[in-house]
């Protein structure tokens, strides 16, 4: 595997379900990100992890819970979601969140539909 | 306040035409970074270029070129001799002093054969 991978690519869940999104980066980066992309809206940064510590949480509802067990893996745990949470969830990584190289490399995303 | 504006929501051109995508930014920082990303229909955002605020040299990479003008706070992207494979949504972004990316709304580019 190369780059940034995300699973699953598509997910349909009911509002009472619990599911998790997984992201893995194979680039040796130290920072990882979760973004939400809704139709006709700019990308919304949800969470940032640098060296496995959360450094940013942009007022995301508690029904989204991130986990970063190591610098290569990032999870987004979902529970009791709302239909408006349906969106494309993108994971990204970069060499360093606080300095050095800033460009982020993205995975293909998980298309989430909440019914 | 930091802000990125991509005023063109959608552009449609015929293949082989040149097309320019506009990006205007606002920042109070003297050191900042600007980016362009491409998002094809598959969904994955692809990094195209990073430019820092001290380097106003224009960049050319094949059919792609970027024009950075600090005087007008613009970082425009031109595709020369467009191809159908260039069809995508293109995003401009600004890295602020906390190194968080502030994204424009994106421009959907349609290249017709």
């Amino acid at each position: 595997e190369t780059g940034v991978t995300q699973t699953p690519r598509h997910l349909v869940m009911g509002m009472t379900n619990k599911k998790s999104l997984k992201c893995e980066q194979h680039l040796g980066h130290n920072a990882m990100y979760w973004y939400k992309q809704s139709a006709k809206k700019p990308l919304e940064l949800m969470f940032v992890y640098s060296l496995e510590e959360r450094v940013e949480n942009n007022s995301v509802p508690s029904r989204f819970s991130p986990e970063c067990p190591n610098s290569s893996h990032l999870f987004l745990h979902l529970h009791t979601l709302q239909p408006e949470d349906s969106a494309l969830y993108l994971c990204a990584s970069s060499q360093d969140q606080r300095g050095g190289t800033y460009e982020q490399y993205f995975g293909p995303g998980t298309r989430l539909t909440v019914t | 306040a930091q802000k990125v504006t991509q005023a063109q929501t959608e552009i449609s051109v015929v293949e082989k035409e040149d097309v320019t995508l506009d990006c205007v930014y606002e920042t109070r920082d003297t050191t900042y970074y600007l980016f362009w990303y491409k998002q094809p229909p598959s969904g994955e955002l692809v990094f195209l270029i990073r430019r820092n605020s001290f380097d106003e040299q224009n960049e050319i990479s094949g059919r792609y070129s970027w024009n950075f003008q600090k005087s007008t706070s613009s970082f425009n992207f031109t595709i020369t001799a467009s191809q159908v494979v260039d069809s995508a949504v293109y995003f401009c972004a600004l890295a602020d002093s906390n190194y968080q990316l502030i994204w424009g709304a994106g421009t959907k580019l349609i290249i017709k054969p």
Side-chain angles (χ1 to χ4, degrees):
Chain A
E1 293 278 14
T2 58
V4 181
T5 58
Q6 289 186 245
T7 54
R9 294 293 308 276
H10 300 272
L11 178 62
V12 179
M13 60 186 287
M15 288 189 284
T16 58
N17 290 159
K18 287 185 181 181
K19 296 284 184 184
S20 295
L21 309 184
K22 179 183 175 182
C23 175
E24 185 173 358
Q25 60 95 1
H26 308 269
L27 299 168
H29 289 165
N30 293 322
M32 297 187 77
Y33 309 77
W34 278 118
Y35 285 91
K36 176 183 179 183
Q37 187 177 32
S38 306
K40 301 188 193 293
K41 281 187 174 182
L43 268 76
E44 301 172 48
L45 178 64
M46 300 176 72
F47 300 103
V48 181
Y49 277 83
S50 181
L51 298 171
E52 300 145 46
E53 286 188 20
R54 190 192 301 181
V55 296
E56 188 77 27
N57 173 357
N58 287 345
S59 303
V60 178
S62 60
R63 56 186 184 270
F64 295 93
S65 174
E67 179 190 359
C68 188
N70 56 61
S71 60
S72 299
H73 293 86
L74 185 65
F75 295 89
L76 188 62
H77 304 298
L78 317 170
H79 64 98
T80 57
L81 294 191
Q82 305 298 312
E84 60 265 28
D85 296 322
S86 298
L88 180 67
Y89 288 84
L90 290 160
C91 174
S93 70
S94 67
Q95 186 166 325
D96 191 324
Q97 188 264 339
R98 280 184 281 265
T101 305
Y102 303 103
E103 54 263 35
Q104 296 175 19
Y105 292 86
F106 285 79
T110 294
R111 175 69 62 186
L112 174 67
T113 303
V114 181
T115 60
Chain B
Q2 320 271 6
K3 187 179 177 183
V4 175
T5 302
Q6 294 181 258
Q8 304 149 310
T9 306
E10 184 173 306
I11 301 174
S12 181
V13 300
V14 176
E15 199 173 20
K16 296 183 185 175
E17 286 185 17
D18 298 347
V19 58
T20 296
L21 309 181
D22 297 333
C23 173
V24 174
Y25 62 92
E26 296 175 29
T27 180
R28 290 182 183 170
D29 294 334
T30 54
T31 301
Y32 52 89
Y33 294 80
L34 295 161
F35 301 80
W36 275 96
Y37 283 83
K38 173 183 179 180
Q39 188 176 37
S42 60
E44 183 172 341
L45 278 153
V46 177
F47 165 73
L48 295 178
I49 190 171
R50 176 179 75 128
R51 172 66 72 216
N52 75 56
S53 54
F54 297 110
D55 183 1
E56 284 195 73
Q57 257 191 327
N58 290 331
E59 175 111 2
I60 298 174
S61 176
R63 296 183 297 107
Y64 295 173
S65 62
W66 290 269
N67 183 3
F68 177 32
Q69 298 272 352
K70 283 181 79 170
S71 60
T72 55
S73 297
S74 65
F75 186 42
N76 296 338
F77 173 33
T78 297
I79 301 176
T80 303
S82 60
Q83 300 176 2
V84 172
V85 293
D86 296 326
S87 297
V89 180
Y90 290 86
F91 292 93
C92 181
L94 166 72
D96 66 9
S97 51
N98 292 319
Y99 310 119
Q100 302 300 328
L101 283 181
I102 297 150
W103 296 83
T107 296
K108 184 176 183 179
L109 178 62
I110 300 169
I111 310 295
K112 299 177 185 175

